[in-house]
């Protein structure tokens, strides 16, 4: 017996030595017309309203498609989501049919071959024509559309009207005015930050870089450096001391503004409910984040989430139908009412703009032009290696000059793209 | 028993151990080594791109990265300090335990056991709250509201190091305490009669008699502290401001799983394993040289 065991173990070792690390089986997927449709949606800080709208959609969907059940699960938006998605790609048996994902994660997922190409499905969908070209572009890799943009998130400048009135200030119309206003507030109200900025707030810093004519792929260009300088000038003792602010993420700056500890903040339309729940409620207004030139608007990052169909899905047409239902005008509008999610369909957005004055600064920002991160798996790497936060933090803490930090960051970006 | 039987018997006794250890340790290490010589990223795992053999390419990338060297140096120094402090605290408290009365001993043991039992994740989070800039107890007691303990590199390492020591000293303390209890009282009495001070009897009697035990504790501490992960990852949010507090294990995790560079991450794992292997061999050798057997 023992000899047999050893022989078996030896054979197993030989077999293992002969092959490369394993690769997930290529599942072609299928097109069953009944069964359970599994859907992954992002977890939210206040999930109840989202859950309600989704439940409504599910009800409508199951009524129209007999023999179909929809099982919705909510997945965390922490970096652990990457593990979850990778797990789904590696093991089709535990993968959903439909999934919501952040549009910055798209390139990584597309390269992994996880999502199905929906180009033809969206072209055949009447409401598909209502999606702007910029938006479709942010869901496209190498000419293939890997998801339907579900909503967009745009950041603008929130400011405290009570503080501005008390100090006789006007909302800033340029970056220079923004900086001086922030310093004045901090000088007169030392327990407040002029504008809450964070060393880990990539999407707070990028608009200034883009406005100066810089870009993520050329962080060491003179234009990029100018933008980086403008942002890190705010990470100083006279506005937001690096001791506290160097380690802040975007979410933490929202907390500071919502908590009444900052007079301004770069917050998204999706942060409105968080602000309304805190002491700053009813005492704030929003304007577009200004650029360097007076009365210009700094290009915002066009964040948002897409709905995609997994390549391994066994219910392809059902999954596409469900995606089209959720991202159709009716449910996009309902999602806006429930969550404040800005619709991706132009007609839905226009209808809301007419009746919702809160949206004006955000829509003005969209109209002025938005920007996006590189649609390349390299972006996920750049993001995970915290290249941009590291650059901002090194400058904010005074450990590097703007030149040194941007040169280093540019090298890291090039390395992520596989260029040297 | 025949001569052949005598040489074969020990191996026979080892068989069950080998049967368990070989698959449990051999296979993961084999896979680690295998992955480290492939270009193996997320795209390869899920079948988007073919897996290619790149020999020592991952190692070349790693050794050519100045960040790897600075993190390696940082990890070695941090681990060395942690081992020394853990040993000092553990040994001092072990001696205190032998001297303390019934109730203080019980209290100290309970406190140490609680620290030992606390999961690294929970312990780190609690310490992080204690040192929170705005709401932390430490700042309120010291009256330095708003002081950020996780801003300066060395202060951060200090706070995280204290947490690690808090987590790991109980084992050292308990093992050394048990060792000291096993030393016959007559030996220490004889030393005392000969006029040896407490300090002398610790260094001249307890330490030499406990050398095998101390060696084990040291090796274990080195392995633990060199592989430190949770405390750094949780307390400094994955490596601190601008990555200044990163250590090798956090770096490997971020490379392997954060950036989906499984091949490169495995190469870091292999390098760590080799370093720890050398450390262990070195200690076993040192032990044999002094004539003591484990």
């Amino acid at each position: 017996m023992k000899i047999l065991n050893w022989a078996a173990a030896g054979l197993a070792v030989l077999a293992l030595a002969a092959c490369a690390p394993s690769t997930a089986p290529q599942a072609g997927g299928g097109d069953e017309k009944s069964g359970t449709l599994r859907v992954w949606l992002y977890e939210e800080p206040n999930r109840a309203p989202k859950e309600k709208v989704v439940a409504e959609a599910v009800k409508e969907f199951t009524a129209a498609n007999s023999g179909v059940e929809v099982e919705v699960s909510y997945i965390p938006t922490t970096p652990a989501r990457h593990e979850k998605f990778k797990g789904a790609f590696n093991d089709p048996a535990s993968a959903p049919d439909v999934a919501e994902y952040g549009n910055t994660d798209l390139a990584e997922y597309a390269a992994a071959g996880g999502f199905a190409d929906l180009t033809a499905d969206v072209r055949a969908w009447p409401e598909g024509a209502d999606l702007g070209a910029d938006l479709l572009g942010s869901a496209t890799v190498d000419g293939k559309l890997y998801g339907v943009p579900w909503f967009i998130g745009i950041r603008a400048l929130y400011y405290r009207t009570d503080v501005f009135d008390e100090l006789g200030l006007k909302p800033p119309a340029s970056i220079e005015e923004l900086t001086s206003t922030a310093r004045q507030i901090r000088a007169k109200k030392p327990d407040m930050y002029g504008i809450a900025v964070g060393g880990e707030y990539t999407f707070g810093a990028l608009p200034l870089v883009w406005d100066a004519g810089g870009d993520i792929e050329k962080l060491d260009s003179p234009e990029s450096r100018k933008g980086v300088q403008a942002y890190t000038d705010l990470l100083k003792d006279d506005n937001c001391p690096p001791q506290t602010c160097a380690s802040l993420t975007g979410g933490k700056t929202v907390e500071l503004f919502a908590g009444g500890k900052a007079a301004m903040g770069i917050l998204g339309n999706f942060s409105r409910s968080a602000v309304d729940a805190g002491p700053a409620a009813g005492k704030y207004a929003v304007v577009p984040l200004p650029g360097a030139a007076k009365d210009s608007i700094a290009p915002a990052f066009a964040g948002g989430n897409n709905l995609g169909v997994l390549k391994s899905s066994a219910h392809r047409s059902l999954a596409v139908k469900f995606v089209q239902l959720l991202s159709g005008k009716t449910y996009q509008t309902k999602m806006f009412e429930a969550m404040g999610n800005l619709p991706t369909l132009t007609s839905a957005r226009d209808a809301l703009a007419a009746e919702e004055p809160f949206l004006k600064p955000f829509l003005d920002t969209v109209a002025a032009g938005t920007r996006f991160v590189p649609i390349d798996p390299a972006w996920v790497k750049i993001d995970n290696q915290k290249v941009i936060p590291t650059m901002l933090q090194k400058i904010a803490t005074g450990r590097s000059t703007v030149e040194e930090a941007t040169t280093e960051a540019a090298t890291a970006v090039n390395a992520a793209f596989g260029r040297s | 028993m025949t001569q052949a039987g005598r040489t074969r018997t020990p191996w026979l006794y080892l068989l069950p151990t080998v049967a368990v250890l070989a698959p449990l340790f051999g296979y993961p290490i084999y896979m680690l080594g295998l992955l480290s010589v492939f270009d193996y990223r997320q795209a390869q795992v899920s079948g988007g791109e073919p897996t290619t053999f790149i020999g020592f390419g991952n190692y070349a990338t790693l050794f050519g990265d100045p960040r790897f060297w600075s993190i390696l140096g940082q990890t070695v120094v941090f681990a060395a300090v942690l081992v020394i402090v853990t040993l000092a605290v553990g040994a001092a408290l072990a001696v205190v335990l032998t001297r303390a009365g019934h109730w203080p001993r019980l209290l100290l043991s309970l406190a140490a056991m609680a620290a030992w039992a606390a999961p690294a994740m929970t312990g780190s989070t609690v310490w992080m709250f204690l040192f929170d800039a705005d709401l932390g107890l430490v700042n309120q007691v010291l009256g330095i509201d708003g002081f950020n303990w996780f801003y300066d590199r060395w202060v951060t390492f200090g706070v995280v190091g204290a947490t690690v020591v808090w987590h790991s000293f109980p084992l050292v303390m308990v093992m050394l305490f048990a060792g000291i209890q096993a030393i016959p009282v007559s030996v220490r009495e004889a030393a005392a009669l000969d006029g040896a001070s407490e300090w002398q009897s610790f260094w001249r009697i307890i330490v030499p008699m406990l050398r095998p035990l101390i060696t084990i504790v040291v090796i274990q501490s080195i392995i633990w502290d060199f592989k430190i992960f949770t405390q750094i990852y949780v307390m400094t949010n994955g490596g601190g401001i601008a990555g200044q507090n990163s250590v090798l294990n956090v770096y490997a995790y971020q490379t392997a799983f954060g950036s989906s560079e499984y091949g490169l991450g495995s190469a870091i794992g292999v390098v760590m394993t080799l370093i720890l292997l050398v450390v262990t061999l070195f200690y076993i050798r040192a032990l044999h040289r002094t004539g003591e057997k484990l």
Side-chain angles (χ1 to χ4, degrees):
Chain A
M1 272 316 280
K2 198 161 285 144
I3 289 188
L4 268 181
N5 281 344
W6 278 108
L11 269 180
V13 168
L14 278 180
L16 284 169
C19 66
S22 67
T23 290
Q26 276 292 10
D31 201 7
E32 293 165 31
K33 299 285 191 271
S34 64
T36 306
L37 195 69
R38 278 184 296 180
V39 180
W40 280 5
L41 298 177
Y42 273 0
E43 182 63 90
E44 306 282 345
N46 48 337
R47 193 174 88 192
K50 178 172 183 173
E51 219 171 349
K52 208 172 140 231
V53 175
V54 172
E56 227 177 289
V58 168
K59 211 172 147 199
E60 188 180 326
F61 189 73
T62 43
N65 300 279
S66 59
V68 176
E69 269 180 62
V70 181
E71 183 188 294
V72 181
S73 14
Y74 290 86
I75 60 165
T77 53
T78 56
R81 68 178 188 273
H82 291 293
E83 312 309 320
K84 213 88 193 150
F85 272 101
K86 287 176 204 167
F89 300 157
N90 298 350
D91 174 24
S94 65
D97 299 285
V98 173
E100 172 184 2
Y101 61 91
N103 57 7
T104 53
D105 294 340
L106 168 73
E108 168 86 3
Y109 297 164
F115 281 98
D117 177 8
L118 298 182
T119 317
D121 304 271
V122 170
R123 205 168 285 155
W125 180 41
E127 291 192 82
D130 204 8
L131 291 162
D134 278 3
L135 275 169
L136 284 176
S138 74
T140 305
V141 180
D142 294 334
K144 287 180 182 162
L145 185 73
Y146 287 107
V148 178
W150 193 22
F151 65 83
I152 45 179
I154 296 288
R155 289 169 178 81
L157 186 71
Y158 282 55
Y159 68 95
R160 284 281 294 275
T161 44
D162 55 335
V163 175
F164 273 61
D165 284 347
E166 186 191 328
L167 302 179
L169 298 167
K170 271 194 297 207
S174 68
I175 294 175
E176 203 181 317
E177 280 183 39
L178 173 75
T179 313
S180 65
T181 310
R183 287 180 182 154
Q184 276 179 54
I185 296 167
R186 173 83 176 158
K188 291 189 182 136
K189 290 188 169 287
D191 54 335
M192 235 184 184
Y193 305 121
I195 175 167
V197 282
E200 297 217 10
Y201 193 7
T202 304
F203 296 123
L206 282 178
L208 303 194
V209 174
W210 284 326
D211 178 69
D215 196 21
I216 297 167
E217 294 186 46
K218 302 187 299 273
L219 282 172
D220 54 351
S221 71
E223 293 83 11
S224 296
R225 281 179 176 161
K226 211 174 129 205
V228 170
Q229 177 82 58
Y231 186 77
T232 48
D233 275 350
L234 295 169
L235 278 164
K236 293 245 169 81
D237 285 338
D238 58 10
N239 171 50
C240 203
Q243 254 270 345
T244 323
C245 300
S247 54
L248 295 185
T249 57
K252 291 275 180 204
T253 68
V254 175
E255 280 173 31
L256 281 182
F257 184 82
K261 292 205 69 158
M264 292 184 275
I266 304 170
L267 275 58
N269 58 297
F270 43 85
S271 296
R272 186 187 185 183
S273 56
V275 176
D276 282 339
K283 290 184 285 193
Y284 70 94
V286 185
V287 289
L289 182 69
K294 202 164 162 61
D295 293 321
S296 69
I297 297 177
F301 161 70
N305 289 358
N306 300 341
L307 287 173
V309 172
L310 276 282
K311 205 185 239 172
S312 61
S313 167
H315 310 88
R316 199 179 185 286
S317 356
L318 278 177
V320 170
K321 258 203 239 171
F322 189 70
V323 166
Q324 290 176 344
L325 176 73
L326 262 190
S327 51
K329 195 171 171 183
T330 321
Y331 282 98
Q332 281 208 4
T333 312
K334 284 188 184 192
M335 282 299 286
F336 169 78
E337 283 155 7
M339 305 293 298
N341 292 347
L342 215 48
T344 48
L345 297 168
T346 315
S347 64
R349 223 167 40 231
D350 288 346
L352 287 174
E355 58 194 57
E356 272 281 348
F358 169 77
L359 286 180
K360 191 175 180 303
F362 300 103
L363 295 176
D364 286 350
T365 306
V366 174
T370 55
R371 299 287 294 270
F372 199 60
V373 297
I375 305 182
D376 191 294
W379 169 253
V380 177
K381 226 188 263 183
I382 294 166
D383 196 29
N384 274 312
Q385 292 172 350
K386 295 192 176 180
V387 172
I388 293 173
T390 301
M391 169 186 82
L392 298 173
Q393 289 174 331
K394 282 197 169 167
I395 301 167
T397 55
R399 216 176 315 147
S400 300
T401 62
V402 172
E403 280 71 31
E404 287 162 3
T406 47
T407 307
E408 198 185 337
T411 313
V413 168
N414 281 334
F417 275 102
R419 306 183 283 243
S420 52
Chain B
M1 200 180 270
T2 62
Q3 185 62 36
R6 204 167 295 154
T7 49
R8 209 184 299 142
T9 319
W11 291 105
L12 216 60
Y13 289 148
L14 274 176
L15 258 185
T17 320
V18 171
V20 173
L21 289 188
L24 278 185
F25 288 94
Y27 181 67
I29 288 178
Y30 162 73
M31 278 309 286
L32 196 70
L34 186 65
L35 285 186
S36 74
V37 291
F38 279 90
D39 175 22
Y40 197 56
R41 287 167 287 125
Q42 182 53 41
Q44 280 80 17
V45 179
S46 46
E49 280 173 38
T51 312
T52 45
F53 176 78
I54 52 166
F56 289 102
N58 285 323
Y59 294 93
T61 313
L62 191 62
F63 295 147
D65 181 3
R67 192 163 149 71
F68 166 73
W69 293 107
S70 77
I71 288 178
L72 178 64
Q74 192 158 299
T75 311
V76 168
V77 174
F78 188 51
V81 172
L82 285 181
V83 169
I84 292 167
V85 176
T86 310
L87 239 66
V89 171
L93 288 177
V95 173
V96 168
L97 269 189
T98 59
R99 298 293 140 90
H102 180 67
W103 285 107
R105 181 189 296 180
L106 192 69
L107 275 179
L108 179 55
S109 311
L110 276 179
M113 291 307 128
W116 195 3
M121 194 79 178
T122 329
S124 309
T125 313
V126 169
W127 276 71
M128 200 169 80
F129 286 161
L130 285 177
F131 283 90
D132 187 86
D134 294 316
L135 306 163
L137 183 69
V138 174
N139 278 3
Q140 280 175 11
V141 168
L142 295 179
I144 43 170
D145 239 23
F147 179 77
N148 186 350
W149 290 87
F150 301 101
Y151 180 69
D152 181 78
R153 171 185 293 198
W154 305 113
V155 176
T156 309
F157 268 135
V159 175
V160 178
T163 314
V164 176
V165 169
W166 176 78
H167 266 127
S168 52
F169 87 86
L171 176 76
V172 176
M173 183 186 85
V174 168
M175 283 183 81
L176 293 183
F177 174 64
I180 294 172
Q181 294 294 79
I183 295 175
V185 183
S186 54
V187 175
R188 272 192 287 162
E189 261 174 15
L193 281 179
D194 287 343
S197 67
E198 282 294 327
W199 187 250
Q200 280 173 325
S201 80
F202 177 75
W203 283 108
R204 299 281 172 84
I205 296 174
I206 297 183
V207 171
M209 291 189 85
L210 295 186
R211 188 185 298 271
L213 194 62
I214 291 175
T215 309
I216 293 173
V217 170
V218 166
I219 293 177
Q220 201 157 34
S221 293
I222 289 177
I223 293 175
W224 265 354
D225 294 337
F226 192 73
K227 293 198 305 187
I228 197 78
F229 177 85
T230 316
Q231 286 86 351
I232 289 279
Y233 194 76
V234 172
M235 296 179 73
T236 68
N237 188 18
I241 291 174
Q244 62 185 4
N245 295 106
S246 199
V247 289
L248 215 48
N249 222 352
V250 172
Y251 181 61
Y253 172 79
Q254 283 170 340
T255 308
F257 298 105
S259 313
S260 301
E261 293 268 8
Y262 303 117
L264 188 58
S266 302
I268 303 175
V270 169
V271 170
M272 277 184 77
T273 311
L274 288 179
I275 291 173
L276 286 176
L277 219 63
V278 168
V279 169
T280 314
L281 288 178
F282 181 77
Y283 265 84
I284 292 174
R285 224 176 93 94
L287 203 72
H288 277 278
R289 210 182 271 160
T290 58
E292 297 266 0
K293 296 257 178 187
L294 267 174

